[in-house]
Amino acid sequence: MMSVLAIKIVDSLEDISATAWNALGGDDPFLRHEFFSALHETGCASKQTGWSPKFVTLWEGNVLRGALPLYLKSHSYGEYVFDWAWADAYRRYGYAYYPKLLSAIPFSPITGRRLLAKTAEHRALLISAVLRMAQDRNRGAGVSSFHCLFPQEHEAREMEAAGMTLRHGIQFHWKNRADVNYENFEDFLGGMSHSKRKKIRQERRKVNAAGIRFQWLSGNDISDDHWRFFIDCYNKTYDDHRSMPYLNLEFFARIGRSMPENVLLILALRDGEPVAAAFNLHNSHTLYGRYWGTKEFISGLHFETCYYQAIEYCIANGIRLFEGGAQGEHKLARGFLPVRTWSAHWLAHPEFSAAIGNYLGREAKDIDHYLDELNDNSPFRKDVRE
């Protein structure tokens, strides 16, 4: 006799085993039980900060069959798919845009799975469950909308089939080309145009001439002193941009201990003393550049610490893809190529839904043209372009 499938909404992963959850998430470090637990339990993504977990889980008896990370949001900070104009339009017409439902990895513009289920049937159940939540004013707390950020394309298409509207964005990713399999950084530079190759070499020489050397540290190698230095750099970056940091020392130190094999800290040192640091997460095939900071300005240090050292790490460790973070057209000249990103949106108000749907249709055409323009300006020689 087959067990009945049941949806449960949970506000904590405390009662779900890490083994069961991680079996759904696979090798994506941002989907690990340890990562979400660190975000929630250190207070970084919590009700107090406007991120109330409302994870949708699918059960067959006592077996976890599916999940969708979900938050009840009271603002739009830390998302990287911007809907501030939508919220302002709601306000001007006397409607409340918040709270809203959001499926995303907090503070992480990282494409990955959001519908954590093996079958299309189970993924459809997750989508329908969250849409019912959004439509139910009691269970959804009167939410205006549901948004899913940075899903994989096939998931976005499944959400579109369920009645959601798609939005496109652009990021810049570096690829360790399968047809080349770079042996070292100079091998990578060899495929670029002369002007781009020359500029990168000049930037690297400036950093080297300033006496800067680099150290790559995995989670197990990172000491408390390293984390304290990094958090000072991280906080300074936010302070320099007149904004508040989302994450705290406890969060970084915790994932360094709980998922050390996924953590890479790149330290820039002068005379043995750290002057800058970049924090990355990775698995066997993808490196994700996340945060950086420096104690002082040194020409070229940002590009070297965040991009060139990360590329060297990927080449040395056979990692095929490096996602350097949100936006950044300047990355194109440094060997990163444009890729399309996805998000899916459902709005309860019919007139706003129609207006925003029309806007997103026009925006999608602009994104298509922009992608074509970027691809026409590839930093690689024509004879080596994929």
Side-chain angles (χ1 to χ4, degrees):
M1 187 173 179
M2 293 184 64
S3 299
V4 176
L5 292 169
I7 291 287
K8 298 179 183 178
I9 310 302
V10 301
D11 58 11
S12 170
L13 298 185
E14 193 174 62
D15 295 328
I16 300 176
S17 77
T19 300
W21 181 273
N22 290 341
L24 292 177
D27 65 353
D28 185 335
F30 294 91
L31 295 176
R32 287 187 60 167
H33 190 284
E34 295 87 346
F35 186 82
F36 282 118
S37 296
L39 283 171
H40 301 161
E41 294 171 15
T42 62
C44 296
S46 64
K47 183 177 181 179
Q48 289 70 31
T49 59
W51 292 81
S52 297
K54 300 289 180 184
F55 283 27
V56 181
T57 59
L58 178 66
W59 298 83
E60 185 175 12
N62 294 322
V63 180
L64 183 64
R65 295 298 189 192
L68 181 147
L70 186 69
Y71 294 89
L72 186 68
K73 286 294 301 295
S74 59
H75 54 70
S76 291
Y77 292 103
E79 297 179 12
Y80 301 93
V81 175
F82 302 111
D83 61 354
W84 295 106
W86 305 358
D88 185 60
Y90 269 66
R91 180 192 59 77
R92 286 186 284 108
Y93 280 89
Y95 294 99
Y97 190 69
Y98 305 107
K100 64 179 184 178
L101 289 172
L102 179 81
S103 178
I105 311 301
F107 326 121
S108 304
I110 301 298
T111 292
R113 294 166 57 223
R114 300 294 175 261
L115 302 170
L116 309 184
K118 293 182 179 179
T119 70
E121 175 193 2
H122 290 175
R123 292 193 296 272
L125 288 173
L126 293 170
I127 297 171
S128 63
V130 71
L131 288 176
R132 284 197 305 273
M133 285 180 64
Q135 294 161 3
D136 186 333
R137 295 189 64 84
N138 293 321
R139 294 177 64 194
V143 302
S144 69
S145 50
F146 164 55
H147 311 265
C148 182
L149 309 186
F150 301 102
Q152 294 182 342
E153 180 179 354
H154 75 90
E155 295 176 315
R157 297 296 186 190
E158 290 174 352
M159 293 178 199
E160 182 182 34
M164 300 182 71
T165 302
L166 300 188
R167 190 177 192 182
H168 306 283
I170 292 176
Q171 289 184 352
F172 295 85
H173 297 173
W174 177 88
K175 293 182 180 180
N176 193 349
R177 290 172 49 202
D179 61 327
V180 175
N181 196 23
Y182 301 127
E183 292 186 4
N184 50 49
F185 195 89
E186 280 299 312
D187 198 16
F188 154 63
L189 287 182
M192 302 187 73
S193 66
H194 173 74
S195 61
K196 301 297 189 296
R197 185 168 60 244
K198 180 179 178 181
K199 181 176 179 63
I200 291 173
R201 285 174 174 159
Q202 288 174 339
E203 288 175 342
R204 303 200 82 186
R205 278 198 295 268
K206 288 181 181 178
V207 175
N208 186 65
I212 303 299
R213 302 296 180 263
F214 290 89
Q215 188 176 14
W216 301 342
L217 300 175
S218 70
N220 288 323
D221 302 322
I222 303 172
S223 68
D224 290 343
D225 286 343
H226 290 136
W227 283 126
R228 282 192 287 268
F229 172 78
F230 168 75
I231 201 68
D232 286 346
C233 291
Y234 170 81
N235 289 339
K236 183 177 183 298
T237 298
Y238 277 85
D239 186 59
D240 289 345
H241 290 87
R242 300 179 185 275
S243 59
M244 293 291 292
Y246 296 122
L247 302 170
N248 56 34
L249 175 60
E250 185 182 357
F251 167 79
F252 287 109
R254 176 163 169 165
I255 64 170
R257 295 190 302 268
S258 63
M259 41 192 288
E261 68 277 16
N262 297 119
V263 173
L264 170 66
L265 187 65
I266 297 175
L267 285 180
L269 304 106
R270 183 175 54 203
D271 298 326
E273 294 297 321
V275 294
F279 173 83
N280 308 263
L281 289 176
H282 68 92
N283 52 28
S284 63
H285 53 79
T286 305
L287 179 72
Y288 305 92
R290 295 308 303 120
Y291 307 105
W292 110 289
T294 182
K295 290 294 189 178
E296 61 181 279
F297 174 79
I298 297 173
S299 180
L301 184 60
H302 172 255
F303 297 134
E304 181 67 42
T305 309
C306 295
Y307 302 152
Y308 305 147
Q309 286 295 311
I311 289 172
E312 286 203 353
Y313 182 87
C314 288
I315 293 173
N317 290 276
I319 294 176
R320 308 302 306 176
L321 181 66
F322 171 35
E323 295 192 19
Q327 295 128 10
E329 193 173 310
H330 61 278
K331 296 172 187 169
L332 185 68
R334 292 167 176 87
F336 293 73
L337 297 177
V339 298
R340 188 187 302 272
T341 62
W342 301 82
S343 61
H345 308 267
W346 178 89
L347 294 100
H349 195 288
E351 285 80 11
F352 274 107
S353 179
I356 289 173
N358 289 333
Y359 164 74
L360 293 181
R362 297 191 301 272
E363 184 185 58
K365 294 179 181 179
D366 293 337
I367 292 289
D368 288 341
H369 294 149
Y370 184 43
L371 271 172
D372 289 339
E373 180 182 333
L374 290 169
N375 285 320
D376 287 341
N377 289 278
S378 170
F380 295 97
R381 304 195 318 265
K382 290 184 178 180
D383 60 309
V384 298
R385 295 181 189 178
E386 293 183 317

Short mmCIF file of all heavy atoms in Angstrom, two decimals, residues 302-334:
data_model
loop_
_atom_site.label_atom_id
_atom_site.label_comp_id
_atom_site.label_asym_id
_atom_site.label_seq_id
_atom_site.Cartn_x
_atom_site.Cartn_y
_atom_site.Cartn_z
N HIS A 302 42.03 44.18 -5.99
CA HIS A 302 40.69 43.60 -6.05
C HIS A 302 40.60 42.54 -7.14
O HIS A 302 40.14 41.41 -6.90
CB HIS A 302 39.65 44.69 -6.28
CG HIS A 302 38.28 44.15 -6.55
ND1 HIS A 302 37.72 44.13 -7.81
CD2 HIS A 302 37.37 43.59 -5.73
CE1 HIS A 302 36.51 43.59 -7.75
NE2 HIS A 302 36.27 43.25 -6.51
N PHE A 303 41.06 42.89 -8.34
CA PHE A 303 40.98 41.93 -9.45
C PHE A 303 41.84 40.70 -9.18
O PHE A 303 41.44 39.58 -9.47
CB PHE A 303 41.41 42.60 -10.76
CG PHE A 303 40.52 43.74 -11.17
CD1 PHE A 303 41.06 44.94 -11.59
CD2 PHE A 303 39.14 43.62 -11.12
CE1 PHE A 303 40.26 46.00 -11.98
CE2 PHE A 303 38.32 44.67 -11.50
CZ PHE A 303 38.88 45.86 -11.93
N GLU A 304 43.01 40.91 -8.60
CA GLU A 304 43.91 39.79 -8.35
C GLU A 304 43.34 38.86 -7.28
O GLU A 304 43.31 37.63 -7.45
CB GLU A 304 45.28 40.31 -7.91
CG GLU A 304 46.29 39.22 -7.63
CD GLU A 304 46.70 38.44 -8.87
OE1 GLU A 304 46.91 39.07 -9.93
OE2 GLU A 304 46.80 37.20 -8.78
N THR A 305 42.88 39.44 -6.18
CA THR A 305 42.40 38.62 -5.06
C THR A 305 41.10 37.91 -5.41
O THR A 305 40.93 36.73 -5.08
CB THR A 305 42.20 39.50 -3.81
OG1 THR A 305 43.38 40.28 -3.57
CG2 THR A 305 41.90 38.64 -2.59
N CYS A 306 40.19 38.63 -6.04
CA CYS A 306 38.85 38.07 -6.29
C CYS A 306 38.76 37.26 -7.56
O CYS A 306 37.98 36.30 -7.61
CB CYS A 306 37.83 39.21 -6.35
SG CYS A 306 37.63 40.08 -4.80
N TYR A 307 39.52 37.62 -8.60
CA TYR A 307 39.35 36.98 -9.90
C TYR A 307 40.54 36.11 -10.30
O TYR A 307 40.39 34.91 -10.52
CB TYR A 307 39.10 38.04 -10.99
CG TYR A 307 37.91 38.92 -10.73
CD1 TYR A 307 37.85 40.21 -11.23
CD2 TYR A 307 36.83 38.46 -9.98
CE1 TYR A 307 36.75 41.02 -11.01
CE2 TYR A 307 35.72 39.27 -9.75
CZ TYR A 307 35.69 40.56 -10.27
OH TYR A 307 34.60 41.35 -10.03
N TYR A 308 41.72 36.71 -10.37
CA TYR A 308 42.85 35.98 -10.95
C TYR A 308 43.32 34.84 -10.05
O TYR A 308 43.65 33.76 -10.54
CB TYR A 308 43.99 36.94 -11.27
CG TYR A 308 43.58 38.09 -12.18
CD1 TYR A 308 44.15 39.35 -12.07
CD2 TYR A 308 42.60 37.90 -13.15
CE1 TYR A 308 43.77 40.40 -12.88
CE2 TYR A 308 42.21 38.95 -13.98
CZ TYR A 308 42.79 40.19 -13.82
OH TYR A 308 42.40 41.23 -14.64
N GLN A 309 43.34 35.08 -8.74
CA GLN A 309 43.71 33.99 -7.84
C GLN A 309 42.66 32.88 -7.88
O GLN A 309 42.99 31.69 -7.83
CB GLN A 309 43.86 34.52 -6.41
CG GLN A 309 45.13 35.32 -6.17
CD GLN A 309 46.39 34.48 -6.33
OE1 GLN A 309 46.49 33.39 -5.77
NE2 GLN A 309 47.35 34.99 -7.09
N ALA A 310 41.39 33.25 -7.98
CA ALA A 310 40.32 32.26 -8.06
C ALA A 310 40.43 31.44 -9.34
O ALA A 310 40.22 30.22 -9.34
CB ALA A 310 38.96 32.94 -7.97
N ILE A 311 40.76 32.10 -10.45
CA ILE A 311 40.94 31.39 -11.72
C ILE A 311 42.11 30.42 -11.60
O ILE A 311 42.03 29.27 -12.05
CB ILE A 311 41.15 32.39 -12.87
CG1 ILE A 311 39.83 33.12 -13.18
CG2 ILE A 311 41.67 31.68 -14.13
CD1 ILE A 311 39.97 34.26 -14.18
N GLU A 312 43.20 30.87 -10.99
CA GLU A 312 44.35 29.97 -10.81
C GLU A 312 43.96 28.77 -9.95
O GLU A 312 44.38 27.64 -10.23
CB GLU A 312 45.52 30.73 -10.16
CG GLU A 312 46.22 31.68 -11.11
CD GLU A 312 47.64 31.97 -10.67
OE1 GLU A 312 48.03 31.55 -9.57
OE2 GLU A 312 48.37 32.63 -11.45
N TYR A 313 43.15 29.02 -8.92
CA TYR A 313 42.69 27.91 -8.07
C TYR A 313 41.86 26.92 -8.88
O TYR A 313 42.02 25.69 -8.73
CB TYR A 313 41.89 28.46 -6.90
CG TYR A 313 41.42 27.40 -5.93
CD1 TYR A 313 42.23 26.98 -4.87
CD2 TYR A 313 40.17 26.79 -6.08
CE1 TYR A 313 41.81 26.00 -3.98
CE2 TYR A 313 39.75 25.81 -5.19
CZ TYR A 313 40.57 25.42 -4.15
OH TYR A 313 40.15 24.44 -3.29
N CYS A 314 40.97 27.42 -9.71
CA CYS A 314 40.14 26.55 -10.55
C CYS A 314 40.99 25.70 -11.48
O CYS A 314 40.78 24.49 -11.62
CB CYS A 314 39.16 27.38 -11.37
SG CYS A 314 37.81 28.10 -10.41
N ILE A 315 41.97 26.32 -12.12
CA ILE A 315 42.84 25.58 -13.04
C ILE A 315 43.62 24.52 -12.29
O ILE A 315 43.71 23.37 -12.73
CB ILE A 315 43.78 26.56 -13.78
CG1 ILE A 315 42.96 27.48 -14.70
CG2 ILE A 315 44.83 25.80 -14.57
CD1 ILE A 315 43.77 28.59 -15.34
N ALA A 316 44.16 24.88 -11.14
CA ALA A 316 44.98 23.95 -10.36
C ALA A 316 44.17 22.77 -9.83
O ALA A 316 44.71 21.68 -9.64
CB ALA A 316 45.65 24.68 -9.20
N ASN A 317 42.86 22.97 -9.62
CA ASN A 317 42.04 21.94 -9.00
C ASN A 317 41.00 21.34 -9.95
O ASN A 317 40.12 20.60 -9.49
CB ASN A 317 41.34 22.50 -7.76
CG ASN A 317 42.31 22.78 -6.62
OD1 ASN A 317 42.65 21.89 -5.85
ND2 ASN A 317 42.78 24.02 -6.53
N GLY A 318 41.11 21.63 -11.22
CA GLY A 318 40.21 21.03 -12.21
C GLY A 318 38.76 21.46 -12.08
O GLY A 318 37.84 20.72 -12.44
N ILE A 319 38.53 22.66 -11.56
CA ILE A 319 37.17 23.19 -11.42
C ILE A 319 36.76 23.85 -12.73
O ILE A 319 37.50 24.69 -13.27
CB ILE A 319 37.09 24.17 -10.23
CG1 ILE A 319 37.33 23.40 -8.92
CG2 ILE A 319 35.76 24.89 -10.20
CD1 ILE A 319 37.39 24.29 -7.69
N ARG A 320 35.58 23.48 -13.24
CA ARG A 320 35.19 23.87 -14.59
C ARG A 320 34.58 25.26 -14.69
O ARG A 320 34.63 25.88 -15.76
CB ARG A 320 34.17 22.87 -15.15
CG ARG A 320 34.56 21.41 -15.08
CD ARG A 320 35.86 21.11 -15.80
NE ARG A 320 35.88 21.58 -17.19
CZ ARG A 320 36.93 21.49 -18.00
NH1 ARG A 320 38.06 20.98 -17.53
NH2 ARG A 320 36.88 21.93 -19.23
N LEU A 321 33.98 25.76 -13.60
CA LEU A 321 33.21 27.00 -13.69
C LEU A 321 33.49 27.88 -12.47
O LEU A 321 33.58 27.38 -11.35
CB LEU A 321 31.71 26.67 -13.75
CG LEU A 321 30.73 27.84 -13.86
CD1 LEU A 321 30.90 28.54 -15.20
CD2 LEU A 321 29.29 27.34 -13.70
N PHE A 322 33.62 29.17 -12.71
CA PHE A 322 33.80 30.15 -11.64
C PHE A 322 32.74 31.23 -11.80
O PHE A 322 32.72 31.96 -12.78
CB PHE A 322 35.21 30.75 -11.70
CG PHE A 322 35.45 31.92 -10.78
CD1 PHE A 322 34.86 32.00 -9.53
CD2 PHE A 322 36.29 32.96 -11.17
CE1 PHE A 322 35.07 33.08 -8.69
CE2 PHE A 322 36.52 34.04 -10.34
CZ PHE A 322 35.91 34.10 -9.09
N GLU A 323 31.84 31.30 -10.82
CA GLU A 323 30.82 32.34 -10.78
C GLU A 323 31.32 33.44 -9.86
O GLU A 323 31.44 33.25 -8.66
CB GLU A 323 29.49 31.79 -10.27
CG GLU A 323 28.86 30.75 -11.19
CD GLU A 323 27.42 30.44 -10.82
OE1 GLU A 323 26.80 31.25 -10.11
OE2 GLU A 323 26.93 29.38 -11.24
N GLY A 324 31.60 34.60 -10.45
CA GLY A 324 32.24 35.67 -9.70
C GLY A 324 31.30 36.62 -8.99
O GLY A 324 31.74 37.66 -8.49
N GLY A 325 29.98 36.32 -8.96
CA GLY A 325 29.05 37.19 -8.26
C GLY A 325 28.14 37.93 -9.21
O GLY A 325 28.15 37.73 -10.42
N ALA A 326 27.34 38.83 -8.66
CA ALA A 326 26.32 39.53 -9.43
C ALA A 326 26.94 40.62 -10.31
O ALA A 326 27.95 41.22 -9.95
CB ALA A 326 25.29 40.14 -8.48
N GLN A 327 26.30 40.84 -11.44
CA GLN A 327 26.60 41.96 -12.34
C GLN A 327 28.09 42.03 -12.69
O GLN A 327 28.79 41.04 -12.64
CB GLN A 327 26.08 43.26 -11.71
CG GLN A 327 24.57 43.29 -11.60
CD GLN A 327 24.07 43.63 -10.23
OE1 GLN A 327 24.82 44.03 -9.35
NE2 GLN A 327 22.78 43.45 -10.00
N GLY A 328 28.54 43.21 -13.08
CA GLY A 328 29.96 43.40 -13.30
C GLY A 328 30.42 43.27 -14.74
O GLY A 328 31.11 42.32 -15.09
N GLU A 329 30.04 44.25 -15.58
CA GLU A 329 30.46 44.21 -16.98
C GLU A 329 31.97 44.27 -17.12
O GLU A 329 32.54 43.81 -18.11
CB GLU A 329 29.81 45.39 -17.72
CG GLU A 329 29.91 45.30 -19.23
CD GLU A 329 29.11 46.40 -19.93
OE1 GLU A 329 27.92 46.57 -19.58
OE2 GLU A 329 29.68 47.07 -20.81
N HIS A 330 32.65 44.83 -16.10
CA HIS A 330 34.11 44.89 -16.12
C HIS A 330 34.75 43.50 -16.16
O HIS A 330 35.91 43.36 -16.55
CB HIS A 330 34.63 45.65 -14.90
CG HIS A 330 34.26 45.01 -13.60
ND1 HIS A 330 33.03 45.18 -12.99
CD2 HIS A 330 34.95 44.18 -12.79
CE1 HIS A 330 33.00 44.49 -11.88
NE2 HIS A 330 34.14 43.87 -11.72
N LYS A 331 33.99 42.48 -15.77
CA LYS A 331 34.53 41.11 -15.78
C LYS A 331 34.75 40.60 -17.20
O LYS A 331 35.56 39.69 -17.41
CB LYS A 331 33.58 40.17 -15.03
CG LYS A 331 33.43 40.48 -13.55
CD LYS A 331 32.34 39.63 -12.92
CE LYS A 331 32.07 40.06 -11.48
NZ LYS A 331 30.86 39.44 -10.95
N LEU A 332 34.00 41.13 -18.16
CA LEU A 332 34.12 40.66 -19.54
C LEU A 332 35.55 40.80 -20.03
O LEU A 332 36.09 39.87 -20.67
CB LEU A 332 33.16 41.46 -20.44
CG LEU A 332 33.08 41.01 -21.90
CD1 LEU A 332 32.43 39.64 -22.02
CD2 LEU A 332 32.29 42.04 -22.72
N ALA A 333 36.19 41.91 -19.75
CA ALA A 333 37.55 42.15 -20.21
C ALA A 333 38.56 41.25 -19.50
O ALA A 333 39.71 41.17 -19.91
CB ALA A 333 37.94 43.61 -19.99
N ARG A 334 38.11 40.55 -18.47
CA ARG A 334 39.02 39.70 -17.68
C ARG A 334 38.71 38.21 -17.85
O ARG A 334 39.05 37.40 -17.02
CB ARG A 334 38.96 40.14 -16.22
CG ARG A 334 39.57 41.53 -16.06
CD ARG A 334 39.31 42.19 -14.74
NE ARG A 334 40.04 43.46 -14.70
CZ ARG A 334 39.55 44.60 -15.16
NH1 ARG A 334 38.33 44.66 -15.67
NH2 ARG A 334 40.29 45.71 -15.11
#
